[in-house]
Amino acid sequence: MKLTIVYDNDAGEGLKCGWGFACLIETESNNILFDTGWDGHLLLENMEKLAIDPQNIDTLVLSHQHWDHIGGVTTFLNINPDVDVYVPSGFSPRLKKEITSRIKRKLYGVASPQEICDKIYTTGELEKKGTGIKEHSLILECDSGNYVLTGCAHPGLLLILEAASSFGKMDGIIGGLHDSQEYGSFKDMQLIGAGHCTSHKDVIRKMYPEKFRKIFAGYSIEL
Ligand SMILES: [Zn+2]
Ligand SMILES: [Zn+2]
């Protein structure tokens, strides 16, 4: 399974950065776009530079309803409406209707943990009490282990990892980790790819220098 960060607050050479997150997951059977960043044109520009054809994407997963993750949705769907779309079930009903009217396939509201496609699962919709932010993360079942892919990790690492643990032991985490300070959660992991909104990157890097990976638009890894 191959992961490529397409949109992030930081960018590698030749790519553009912007506040937001998007990641392409390529498996043997599917090409999944996880989030779209804010600026759809920047998303498509970065895809072109990375030789990613948006028409080859068959599944779009939106982690949560924040501007920096869903801003690029309309631009992307104008290029490729032939996708299944997965959103937390608590998404705005109007937004679900708008997306449904633009796609040729189906929109799924995710409530509980389930398989999305072969070797890709969702934690189901999670919410840290009182925040009102509903978000789901993905679990990637790879040859080298199980990995969690997060958008902003608003529900908090403990809740996310508890939900993910129903799919087995997690060997790594990639994505935005927000202001998470539950550093002990990384202890048994092999890889911490902290990007996007992660507030405490430096602390995590100092604690786990061998496991830490700085991620950015253009970063790619085989798992
Ligand atoms: Zn967010
Ligand atoms: Zn975010």
Side-chain angles (χ1 to χ4, degrees):
M1 197 177 297
K2 187 181 172 191
L3 246 68
T4 306
I5 310 297
V6 184
Y7 199 118
D8 191 82
N9 300 34
D10 294 316
E13 223 187 303
L15 296 175
K16 285 191 178 162
C17 63
W19 190 282
F21 188 68
C23 175
L24 180 76
I25 311 157
E26 294 168 272
T27 75
E28 274 172 23
S29 49
N30 295 86
N31 293 318
I32 301 127
L33 182 64
F34 178 73
D35 286 341
T36 63
W38 172 61
D39 178 346
H41 295 287
L42 197 157
L43 174 80
L44 295 179
E45 247 179 80
N46 278 354
M47 277 190 183
E48 198 183 336
K49 293 211 175 99
L50 292 163
I52 295 165
D53 183 352
Q55 310 273 6
N56 286 340
I57 292 167
D58 51 70
T59 308
L60 173 64
V61 178
L62 300 173
S63 65
H64 66 299
Q65 200 181 319
H66 275 168
W67 59 273
D68 53 330
H69 296 256
I70 64 168
V73 169
T74 48
T75 310
F76 173 76
L77 292 180
N78 284 337
I79 299 283
N80 179 8
D82 197 11
V83 285
D84 285 311
V85 180
Y86 290 83
V87 303
S89 59
F91 240 51
S92 143
R94 284 222 175 105
L95 182 51
K96 284 199 261 191
K97 219 169 146 190
E98 282 294 320
I99 294 174
T100 305
S101 73
R102 284 166 183 255
I103 55 175
K104 290 186 188 164
R105 298 201 211 171
K106 242 187 118 176
L107 179 133
Y108 300 86
V110 169
S112 48
Q114 59 184 266
E115 187 182 72
I116 282 189
C117 45
D118 193 30
K119 299 191 186 303
I120 312 275
Y121 309 87
T122 159
T123 56
E125 179 177 89
L126 301 171
E127 181 192 342
K128 189 187 264 179
K129 256 195 189 144
T131 61
I133 307 169
K134 296 171 190 311
E135 178 172 348
H136 67 140
S137 304
L138 294 184
I139 292 113
L140 318 174
E141 194 184 277
C142 307
D143 294 339
S144 58
N146 297 318
Y147 299 85
V148 187
L149 181 64
T150 58
C152 272
H154 292 293
L157 278 181
L158 297 183
L159 208 58
I160 294 171
L161 292 173
E162 188 194 321
S165 69
S166 63
F167 297 97
K169 178 187 171 285
M170 291 302 122
D171 300 289
I173 188 162
I174 293 160
L177 303 179
H178 209 57
D179 53 4
S180 302
Q181 293 186 56
E182 296 97 343
Y183 307 121
S185 310
F186 305 127
K187 195 162 59 73
D188 297 324
M189 291 184 180
Q190 308 307 318
L191 183 135
I192 311 159
H196 177 40
C197 56
T198 310
S199 309
H200 305 295
K201 275 184 206 167
D202 289 343
V203 183
I204 302 169
R205 185 168 40 83
K206 273 182 196 147
M207 276 184 91
Y208 301 104
E210 270 136 48
K211 306 174 183 193
F212 185 85
R213 302 278 186 292
K214 185 183 171 346
I215 64 168
F216 48 85
Y219 175 85
S220 173
I221 187 168
E222 285 278 351
L223 294 169

